[in-house]
Amino acid sequence: MDANNSMCVLRERKQQAFDAACCDFVVNHDVEAIARKLEMSGTMLRNMLNPNQPHVLKPVVLASISRASGDYSIVNTLFAEDGVVTVPIPNAKDNLNLFERVLKHSAFSGELSSDALSMCNAERLPRSTKRKTLAKAQAALGNLVLLINDLEHRTTGLQPLVQIGTDFLANGAPIPGLA
């Protein structure tokens, strides 16, 4: 019997977090523009995101909303207690090399450390601060995914090894006998 009670508590807590994430989403995004991208009515989308309306947000619509907005906070809210975090892979249009990508990660880490320090001393954590910090953490994770992706592509075969070698030499590595 206790197992059923704890399951209901988990379900209720998860539902409340989901409802709050949907409300935050409506506040932070132009729902009309997202609805146009999805070729649906803005009112219908707004009703799906409103916990007081009878319309239900279906998983396919949730995935489409997340993709169109680039905001995966609702999905992350659903999986948070299960230890799962989604990380959208950002567009790698910046073509950063490994060193620049690591430096970018260091900058994200510094910003997150600063936020954590300010949160430790705060009496309460406003939702806006939480959202901004989560956005920074998502950006840092996306950068790490690109770093991992770049490393994997560079180390599968002879051509990437030659490419790493030329990058190493071109960036000022000493050559024995010439240094």
Side-chain angles (χ1 to χ4, degrees):
M1 191 64 153
D2 289 337
N4 288 338
N5 288 339
S6 65
M7 184 61 173
C8 290
V9 169
L10 174 65
R11 221 182 261 164
E12 183 178 327
R13 189 172 54 227
K14 195 169 265 206
Q15 185 66 49
Q16 289 171 349
F18 176 75
D19 292 344
C22 288
C23 292
D24 287 347
F25 187 89
V26 170
V27 169
N28 294 323
H29 296 284
D30 183 3
V31 178
E32 292 291 328
I34 294 170
R36 280 192 298 273
K37 287 180 186 176
L38 301 177
E39 298 176 356
M40 65 186 309
S41 158
T43 305
M44 178 62 79
L45 182 57
R46 193 172 285 103
N47 287 343
M48 286 181 185
L49 292 166
N50 185 347
N52 298 324
Q53 294 291 324
H55 299 287
V56 176
L57 182 60
K58 296 187 178 181
V60 173
V61 177
L62 176 57
S64 299
I65 291 169
S66 298
R67 186 177 305 116
S69 67
D71 183 355
Y72 293 85
S73 58
I74 299 174
V75 176
N76 282 332
T77 300
L78 287 173
F79 292 127
E81 290 188 21
D82 299 325
V84 176
V85 177
T86 60
V87 180
I89 299 173
N91 294 334
K93 294 178 182 174
D94 50 10
N95 289 331
L96 299 177
N97 63 28
L98 290 174
F99 184 68
E100 292 169 325
R101 187 109 16 234
V102 170
L103 285 177
K104 193 172 183 179
H105 176 67
S106 181
F108 282 130
S109 297
E111 289 178 25
L112 288 170
S113 297
S114 174
D115 288 353
L117 186 62
S118 65
M119 283 184 230
C120 288
N121 297 328
E123 290 184 24
R124 68 179 203 87
L125 180 63
R127 272 189 185 173
S128 61
T129 304
K130 175 186 167 187
R131 279 193 303 269
K132 288 176 186 174
T133 304
L134 287 174
K136 288 178 189 176
Q138 284 289 335
L141 287 173
N143 184 57
L144 276 176
V145 167
L146 289 175
L147 177 66
I148 291 168
N149 192 28
D150 193 28
L151 281 172
E152 286 178 347
H153 281 71
R154 286 179 175 241
T155 57
T156 55
L158 183 61
Q159 191 271 338
L161 291 175
V162 172
Q163 185 179 7
I164 288 174
T166 56
D167 285 349
F168 184 68
L169 293 174
N171 289 325
I175 300 173
L178 297 178

